[in-house]
Amino acid sequence: MDSTVVYLPFNTTVMIRAFTNASFQQRVTLAPEQGNPIVFTGIGENDTPIGNTSMRTPAQGTNPRGYQVTVTIETNPGTGWQPSSVGQGGSSIMYYNLTLVVSEDYVDQDWNDAVVTFTWWIPPSTRTLPDFDLAAGPDRPGGERPARGHGQHDRHGAHHEHDRREGNG
């Protein structure tokens, strides 16, 4: 297969990056369901960057799977553009999402000749900044919220203040 459809969430900014790991020219074409195609070309090894862009998906659409972007990858071994085989996969960790499209140009079967990454972050809609600030909790002496700029962060990245009035710092 020389192309694949990536489904992206609606109303989201998605970062798109393309790399090459090939001695032949690679061409990546991103065709969103609305708008003009985006084309990246390049050659090189060791994840040589060939393109970087962002895309804001529409607030809604007709496909319940999401906003469609067709990814086509081709190679040029010196005799003209030929389709590469492509594969797709992804992962999500907490609110961070990654979809990868990889390709093989039929030379060495390493499946890294052109690589396209789609990344986005969707925060929980019901959280606000104070939800992440453990120092603002009611267990503070006097119920006051300490001033920013002092203290430390715990292993989860939450900011904690030391109360020097009680000799805890």
Side-chain angles (χ1 to χ4, degrees):
M1 171 178 270
D2 63 345
S3 65
T4 187
V5 175
V6 174
Y7 293 92
L8 302 172
F10 294 111
N11 200 31
T12 303
T13 299
V14 179
M15 302 305 299
I16 305 167
R17 294 173 185 87
F19 307 91
T20 181
N21 294 288
S23 56
F24 293 139
Q25 186 85 2
Q26 304 291 309
R27 179 167 62 190
V28 173
T29 303
L30 308 169
E33 63 180 88
Q34 300 169 356
N36 295 322
I38 300 164
V39 179
F40 303 132
T41 58
I43 189 171
E45 298 289 344
N46 302 314
D47 281 345
T48 299
I50 61 171
N52 183 10
T53 191
S54 65
M55 172 185 300
R56 180 77 184 171
T57 59
Q60 58 189 358
T62 58
N63 191 320
R65 294 182 72 186
Y67 184 71
Q68 296 179 44
V69 176
T70 301
V71 180
T72 303
I73 301 177
E74 301 164 289
T75 187
N76 185 349
T79 58
W81 292 107
Q82 301 171 11
S84 294
S85 291
V86 296
Q88 170 181 174
S91 182
S92 296
I93 301 171
M94 298 300 290
Y95 311 116
Y96 191 83
N97 300 275
L98 165 71
T99 295
L100 286 168
V101 176
V102 298
S103 72
E104 176 50 49
D105 61 11
Y106 311 106
V107 175
D108 52 8
Q109 301 301 311
D110 58 5
W111 284 89
N112 70 347
D113 298 314
V115 178
V116 184
T117 66
F118 295 82
T119 58
W120 65 94
W121 179 74
I122 301 177
S125 60
T126 58
R127 291 213 167 159
T128 61
L129 188 57
D131 291 335
F132 296 100
D133 188 359
L134 298 180
D139 58 339
R140 297 287 308 159
E144 77 256 9
R145 181 180 179 135
R148 288 281 188 205
H150 302 354
Q152 5 176 285
H153 292 80
D154 69 10
R155 65 188 177 100
H156 301 291
H159 187 80
H160 294 278
E161 295 289 333
H162 290 287
D163 190 346
R164 295 194 189 327
R165 292 175 300 170
E166 297 178 18
N168 295 335

